[in-house]
Amino acid sequence: MQIRDLPYPDPGVPDARSGPRFLLWLGRNQLGGQLTSLAWGLLHFCGVSGLPLGVGQAVQAVVDRSGSRLALAGALIVGCGVAITVGDTMLHRTAVTNWITAAARVQQLLAGKAAELGSALTRRVAAGEVVAVSTGDVEKIGWFVEAVSRFAAAAVTVVLVCVGLVLYEPELGVVVAIGVPALALAVLPLLPRATRRADIQREKAGKATELAADTVAGLRVLRGIGGEELFLGRYRQASQEVRRAAVRSARMWSLISAIQVLMPGLLLITVVWHGAGLARAGRIGIGELVTAFSAVTLLMYPLRHFEEIAMAYSFSRPSAKRAARVLALRRTTEPSDVEYGRPSGDLYDPATGVVASAGRFTAVVCGDPDAAGLLAERLGGHPAADVEGAASVLLGGVPLDELALDEARAAVLVQDKDPVLLSGTLRALLDVPSSGKVSAEDALAAAQCADVLDALAQASTDADGDPMRTRITERGRSLSGGQRQRLALARSLVTDPEVLVLDEPTSAVDSHTEARISEGVKGLRAGRTTVVFTSSPLLLDHADRVVFVHDGKVAAVGVHRELLDGTAGYRAVVTRETEEEQLGGITVIDELDALEEIEESA
């Protein structure tokens, strides 16, 4: 796998049963890259480990005054230098490739899961946790994946050096062979405590990230109620908890690092002391002592990777656990293997009894806005958690839950109550998968975006002032709420789906604009099925059919004016009448007259 091959055509189905299983799945799916990195790592570490032999042979050749052996020793040192240079360069290249490809795979999996679950994702997992997983956590997961191959190369090198020293000089080699495993295992008792402290630090950091994300999302509301200082104090407290946890974790890792310095030093002293005694006794030569001393010294380099792999696993395990928790989420029902094709016809929800006739403009009125949002998601093929065991929504008799995800999304499009505008130009915003039958100009006109285009033209940096080339900031923060809502509506109209479900699409615009939007949407969607969740009389009066839902069931069906006269509950929701006003005999004639005046003025 090369970086230029990203993104993956198919990132695969992850093993999300646990964090370690997810890490194992990632490593197994990059086996080719891991083996390549292992090969280059062995070349690099073996080059490093071969230097002591060359230095020892050179010293012994000088002592023996042998020019030929000195030349061979020099050639060996040069060869080791070349191996170190080439191996280190390619090891770094392949290791970084493994890191980036693993992180990219995780990000691609998370993006696919977000697209699959839609708004249901943030109801099951906190938005801040999703942000933490898709940013910092993917880097730590990638770090562990790329560190595995370097650790494997270092471990194999350590074994080869110990075996080589035992064969080259048994008396010193045995000391090294016993001491090196002791070095590697010396910090093992401390790793569980270090891991727990790292987990606590990551947990507190995740909570602080969630708090920050939630605070930023509600900043406008906080300013309105004067709550900035309150939440700022909470974030300061969360930040201090993260700092204290990080210090506790750093203390443990510093202790591990100190042991990694102390123990090799003791081993080096032991080898020098024992080797000097052997040399004085004439049992080994000076070159053999230098070789053993240099080998132990350079062994400290690959042994550092034992500490690194422990740190990488400690930090990546909680990250992988969070990623696995998100990736383990599933739709309530899985797609069927039956090929239905692209369904069409009436949209029917068995749980509530709502029917949206094919090719008609249907309005749905719910007294509870939250219930309306859940019902809108159900109509889009997202089964709501509050309707346990409910049958799937049917489109032309075909269950939406049994359709492949891309087919379900192409058949029914749901625009949320608070749609998101991604950063980019207006042309890019409207460049979405569509039938090609609705142009961007027609969609913008139907959504009454003329003033939005004027504002974007004035903000354009181009000489021609083309609003389509003007950049929209992240989430459309440079626009008003009504402007964002109308641009999102235009984007939905451009897609021209078989069924379009709109949840309160005009809640942020004035009455005159709302009346024009009602006419524009109905005209542009003629012959297509459109469902609008609203309590606005202006939209309801343009609907071919109005469905009133009360307590989770259809309570009345008809046209707007008939329901106003004949259904008290409907009238209370639409006109906001109190019970006293209804008992006082308030009629709807004044309300109807007001509607006609608004339409005429529009």
Side-chain angles (χ1 to χ4, degrees):
M1 170 62 68
Q2 299 294 324
I3 294 178
R4 61 174 175 268
D5 297 327
L6 298 174
Y8 294 94
D10 178 12
V13 179
D15 186 348
R17 288 176 290 177
S18 66
R21 287 179 180 273
F22 181 59
L23 291 173
L24 178 62
W25 178 84
L26 282 174
R28 191 168 59 245
N29 277 269
Q30 289 182 215
L31 190 58
Q34 295 284 4
L35 293 176
T36 302
S37 183
L38 173 62
W40 290 117
L42 286 174
L43 177 63
H44 170 64
F45 288 125
C46 288
V48 172
S49 302
L51 286 176
L53 180 60
V55 172
Q57 291 295 327
V59 170
Q60 192 64 45
V62 171
V63 172
D64 296 340
R65 299 180 181 276
S66 173
S68 59
R69 289 168 56 191
L70 182 62
L72 290 174
L76 177 60
I77 293 175
V78 171
C80 290
V82 173
I84 292 172
T85 302
V86 175
D88 190 30
T89 301
M90 297 306 298
L91 173 62
H92 178 75
R93 178 185 178 90
T94 54
V96 171
T97 300
N98 288 336
W99 187 337
I100 294 177
T101 49
R105 186 189 293 271
V106 176
Q107 287 179 325
Q108 194 170 343
L109 288 169
L110 291 171
K113 182 59 63 176
E116 175 187 345
L117 297 177
S119 60
L121 175 61
T122 53
R123 291 204 307 272
R124 303 186 191 181
V125 181
E129 184 171 352
V130 177
V131 173
V133 171
S134 59
T135 53
D137 284 342
V138 296
E139 294 186 5
K140 292 177 175 58
I141 293 172
W143 175 28
F144 175 76
V145 172
E146 69 90 11
V148 167
S149 56
R150 288 189 288 111
F151 164 72
V156 172
T157 302
V158 169
V159 172
L160 291 177
V161 170
C162 291
V163 172
L165 281 176
V166 170
L167 297 177
Y168 179 73
E169 178 47 57
E171 294 190 67
L172 285 178
V174 170
V175 175
V176 175
I178 295 175
V180 168
L183 292 180
L185 300 176
V187 298
L188 195 60
L190 300 177
L191 289 180
R193 182 176 298 180
T195 300
R196 286 196 299 271
R197 292 189 179 185
D199 290 349
I200 294 173
Q201 177 194 352
R202 295 301 304 162
E203 180 182 355
K204 291 184 178 297
K207 291 181 178 179
T209 303
E210 292 178 22
L211 179 61
D214 294 340
T215 302
V216 171
L219 189 58
R220 181 174 298 180
V221 177
L222 291 177
R223 287 174 175 170
I225 63 176
E228 302 102 309
E229 288 299 325
L230 174 63
F231 277 84
L232 184 59
R234 291 180 181 176
Y235 184 72
R236 285 197 186 103
Q237 181 180 357
S239 298
Q240 289 303 313
E241 291 180 0
V242 174
R243 181 187 63 80
R244 287 190 290 270
V247 170
R248 283 175 52 83
S249 178
R251 285 173 180 168
M252 184 56 64
W253 287 112
S254 64
L255 176 60
I256 292 175
S257 297
I259 293 175
Q260 291 284 332
V261 173
L262 174 63
M263 297 298 290
L266 294 177
L267 176 61
L268 190 61
I269 292 173
T270 301
V271 169
V272 171
W273 176 80
H274 183 57
L278 294 176
R280 286 198 304 268
R283 297 167 61 181
I284 63 173
I286 298 298
E288 294 171 333
L289 176 61
V290 171
T291 298
F293 171 78
S294 301
V296 174
T297 302
L298 291 179
L299 269 181
M300 302 305 105
Y301 173 57
L303 281 174
R304 292 176 188 171
H305 292 277
F306 286 71
E307 178 187 356
E308 182 195 13
I309 195 65
M311 291 184 65
Y313 180 73
S314 298
F315 282 94
S316 66
R317 188 173 61 86
S319 298
K321 181 179 178 181
R322 279 195 295 268
R325 184 165 61 247
V326 174
L327 295 175
L329 300 176
R330 294 288 183 267
R331 297 174 65 186
T332 304
T333 57
E334 294 299 326
S336 171
D337 294 332
V338 180
E339 293 291 338
Y340 290 105
R342 183 68 58 83
S344 62
D346 294 346
L347 186 67
Y348 171 58
D349 176 26
T352 59
V354 172
V355 177
S357 301
R360 306 290 295 278
F361 188 106
T362 302
V364 180
V365 177
C366 293
D368 183 359
D370 293 333
L374 293 174
L375 179 53
E377 292 181 1
R378 275 188 54 77
L379 294 180
H382 301 282
D386 63 333
V387 190
E388 185 177 354
S392 170
V393 171
L394 306 178
L395 177 59
V398 176
L400 285 181
D401 291 345
E402 296 184 8
L403 291 177
L405 187 62
D406 54 349
E407 290 291 335
R409 295 294 178 271
V412 182
L413 173 66
V414 179
Q415 177 178 300
D416 295 333
K417 185 180 300 183
D418 186 20
V420 176
L421 300 182
L422 302 178
S423 60
T425 63
L426 179 57
R427 178 174 287 107
L429 175 70
L430 300 177
D431 184 16
V432 292
S434 65
S435 65
K437 298 179 181 179
V438 178
S439 65
E441 292 74 15
D442 292 339
L444 290 168
Q448 301 300 312
C449 294
D451 64 316
V452 184
L453 297 177
D454 292 339
L456 292 176
Q458 294 177 5
S460 175
T461 57
D462 298 331
D464 58 355
D466 184 3
M468 300 298 290
R469 300 172 63 181
T470 303
R471 187 171 185 81
I472 298 174
T473 57
E474 182 184 0
R475 301 182 69 90
R477 291 192 174 94
S478 59
L479 304 172
S480 67
Q483 289 174 331
R484 289 196 299 269
Q485 197 172 57
R486 281 176 283 161
L487 285 180
L489 177 59
R491 178 179 59 188
S492 299
L493 293 174
V494 167
T495 61
D496 190 35
E498 182 71 24
V499 180
L500 176 60
V501 180
L502 304 172
D503 188 6
E504 296 288 354
T506 59
S507 59
V509 300
D510 58 77
S511 299
H512 294 282
T513 305
E514 189 175 31
R516 292 194 294 267
I517 290 175
S518 303
E519 296 177 355
V521 171
K522 185 175 182 180
L524 190 64
R525 293 284 301 171
R528 293 291 214 180
T529 306
T530 306
V531 183
V532 179
F533 285 80
T534 184
S535 60
S536 168
L538 291 171
L539 279 173
L540 295 171
D541 202 40
H542 282 87
D544 299 322
R545 188 168 179 263
V546 179
V547 180
F548 176 49
V549 178
H550 182 65
D551 289 338
K553 297 293 182 181
V554 172
V557 178
V559 295
H560 172 56
R561 302 192 181 217
E562 292 176 354
L563 294 177
L564 277 175
D565 285 333
T567 307
Y570 177 83
R571 182 169 61 250
V573 173
V574 174
T575 64
R576 278 74 171 177
E577 288 181 350
T578 64
E579 185 177 353
E580 291 76 9
E581 289 174 329
Q582 294 184 38
L583 294 175
I586 302 297
T587 65
V588 298
I589 297 177
D590 293 337
E591 190 267 346
L592 295 176
D593 291 340
L595 282 176
E596 293 175 352
E597 291 177 2
I598 291 176
E599 292 178 358
E600 291 174 358
S601 62

